[in-house]
Amino acid sequence: MDIAPALSVEELSYTYPGGGRALDQVSFSLAAGERVALLGANGAGKSTLLWCLVGVLRASGKVVVGGTELARGAEAEVRRKLGLAFSEPDDQLFMPTVSRDLSFGPLAAGDAPEESLRKAHAAAGQVALAEDLLARPPHELSSGEKRRAALAAVLALEPEVLALDEPTNSLDAPGRAALAEALLGLPCAQLIATHNLDFVRRLCPRSLVLVEGKLVADEQTASLLLDRGRLADYGLLAPEKGPT
């Protein structure tokens, strides 16, 4: 018996209002529990793709998350199943305390306050966010703590798929290591948009590459990262200088 993918994307295309094509018939799928990198230079379409997956941007094509197809009227259900962590945690943390940020999603989804708080604390534990931080306002947290809090706010909805937009931004080496450990411990499928190839090497056995909105590679990360010429062509490494 075939097992349905956690996320299925078929011929996803998006054109900016000004007429520029941002995504061009992108197709891929993620199995349950699979961690996949989404790579590409600035402007390749990574963030646009993530926003299209949750219906913030209206794209043509087909997106199915956990058996629910993205369509008008189904956005809320899709966003419960696919949680998007923004590239800037400050854009996601807006309540007076971290605890209220983490419980906001479950409350909005209809959970009782007690259940929302339980999910908030469980999500904080998943990303090793200290309990004493939950009563503090988000602006008092460090960059790494904010990143974990924003991730926990998404996990409190218990998504089947987690999408992360440049999750290592503003994190130092210890912060990146702590985030990697947290992500490795999560059971949900993960689509991680990042420039950080070391982070990808540690976390993602498979990588997708976007170039000017087109999916140009879908392969094992280990083989892709060995091909420095292609990485340079994709804008993921600086071109190597020839002999002078």
Side-chain angles (χ1 to χ4, degrees):
M1 179 178 176
D2 291 337
I3 299 175
L7 170 65
S8 175
V9 177
E10 297 180 17
E11 297 186 349
L12 192 70
S13 295
Y14 179 76
T15 301
Y16 291 122
R21 178 61 67 94
L23 297 173
D24 189 358
Q25 297 191 340
V26 175
S27 299
F28 64 92
S29 63
L30 268 66
E34 187 179 18
R35 284 189 307 278
V36 177
L38 179 62
L39 303 175
N42 287 335
K46 302 188 301 299
S47 295
T48 299
L49 190 152
L50 298 184
W51 286 110
C52 289
L53 295 183
V54 292
V56 173
L57 298 177
R58 296 284 180 185
S60 63
K62 185 176 180 180
V63 175
V64 180
V65 185
T68 299
E69 183 173 351
L70 178 63
R72 292 190 184 277
E75 294 95 340
E77 179 64 17
V78 166
R79 291 168 193 169
R80 280 193 290 271
K81 292 185 175 185
L82 192 154
L84 173 59
F86 302 163
S87 59
E88 296 298 333
D90 287 336
D91 294 337
Q92 200 163 341
L93 303 172
F94 55 89
M95 298 296 282
T97 66
V98 174
S99 179
R100 290 181 65 180
D101 264 315
L102 270 57
S103 59
F104 178 85
L107 278 171
D111 287 345
E114 297 81 4
E115 177 65 5
S116 298
L117 191 60
R118 183 197 67 78
K119 289 182 177 180
H121 282 262
Q126 284 183 291
V127 298
L129 187 67
E131 286 282 329
D132 63 303
L133 297 179
L134 299 185
R136 293 169 61 179
H139 70 264
E140 292 185 359
L141 273 56
S142 69
S143 294
E145 290 165 347
K146 285 182 180 180
R147 182 70 63 183
R148 291 199 295 277
L151 179 56
V154 175
L155 293 175
L157 283 167
E158 300 177 338
E160 296 178 35
V161 181
L162 177 63
L164 300 101
D165 193 0
E166 298 293 351
T168 61
N169 276 0
S170 74
L171 293 183
D172 57 15
R176 292 192 297 272
L179 177 62
E181 285 301 315
L183 294 176
L184 285 168
L186 298 178
C188 56
Q190 298 168 43
L191 181 62
I192 304 174
T194 181
H195 290 100
N196 191 316
L197 298 184
D198 288 334
F199 196 72
V200 168
R201 183 180 288 106
R202 181 173 185 180
L203 284 172
C204 301
R206 175 179 160 217
S207 290
L208 312 174
V209 182
L210 288 176
V211 174
E212 297 181 348
K214 295 183 179 182
L215 186 64
V216 299
D218 179 352
E219 63 187 86
Q220 294 298 301
T221 299
S223 62
L224 175 65
L225 296 187
L226 287 175
D227 194 335
R228 297 182 63 86
R230 269 203 302 154
L231 293 175
D233 290 342
Y234 296 153
L236 299 170
L237 283 180
E240 295 185 0
K241 293 182 178 180
T244 59

